[in-house]
């Protein structure tokens, strides 16, 4: 079974930074779509930053230029560096993975998900 475990969430003030990590175990294929998604209070789940084909990244317009997604060489850990955080970034952040031929921030129905980690940004 594929397992994903997020860590690194917390509370910061506007303009602060956080770095999230996602440890992935199990039968992971190199072609899997992998990335970060979030769900804020009263909002639908949305894609934040996703890696397609282990190479190409897509970002939500709202985080472009502030967030960076990366993947370690062993392809077992995902990272999300978040800078210049805003209150609207407050959400539970999830890492996810699975097969998706059209992989991107629109891939909100991937089959494997972590438990999530809370990010709170105060004004």
């Amino acid at each position: 079974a594929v397992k994903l475990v997020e860590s690194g969430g917390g509370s910061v003030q506007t303009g602060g930074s956080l770095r999230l990590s996602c440890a992935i175990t199990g039968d992971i294929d190199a072609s899997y779509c992998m990335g970060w998604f979030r769900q804020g209070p009263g909002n639908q789940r949305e894609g934040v930053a996703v890696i397609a084909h282990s190479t190409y990244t897509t970002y939500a317009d709202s985080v472009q230029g502030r967030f960076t997604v990366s993947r370690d060489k062993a392809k077992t850990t995902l990272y999300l560096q978040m800078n210049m955080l805003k209150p609207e970034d407050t959400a539970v952040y999830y890492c996810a993975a699975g097969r998706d031929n059209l992989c991107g921030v629109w891939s909100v129905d991937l089959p494997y998900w972590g438990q999530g980690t809370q990010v709170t940004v105060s004004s």
Side-chain angles (χ1 to χ4, degrees):
V2 176
K3 294 190 295 184
L4 303 93
V5 180
E6 303 94 338
S7 62
S11 298
V12 298
Q13 296 183 36
T14 297
S17 297
L18 285 173
R19 182 176 174 85
L20 306 183
S21 298
C22 174
I24 306 173
T25 59
D27 190 11
I28 302 298
D29 192 280
S31 67
Y32 273 20
C33 184
M34 300 180 180
W36 294 91
F37 302 78
R38 68 186 181 187
Q39 187 166 14
N43 296 326
Q44 297 294 310
R45 184 170 63 204
E46 64 173 339
V48 176
V50 174
I51 297 177
H53 302 100
S54 302
T55 302
Y56 300 101
T57 57
T58 57
Y59 294 92
D61 289 344
S62 59
V63 308
Q64 183 72 45
R66 299 188 296 120
F67 291 10
T68 303
V69 62
S70 60
R71 186 179 183 181
D72 72 4
K73 294 181 179 181
K75 301 179 181 180
T76 58
T77 305
L78 292 174
Y79 302 96
L80 183 66
Q81 179 66 45
M82 304 185 293
N83 298 324
M84 298 299 295
L85 284 160
K86 305 174 181 180
E88 51 262 46
D89 295 318
T90 295
V92 177
Y93 284 71
Y94 301 89
C95 58
R99 295 179 63 184
D100 190 337
N101 291 333
L102 299 175
C103 176
V105 291
W106 47 87
S107 301
V108 297
D109 294 313
L110 295 170
Y112 306 114
W113 293 83
Q115 291 289 116
T117 186
Q118 177 71 46
V119 171
T120 301
V121 185
S122 61
S123 60

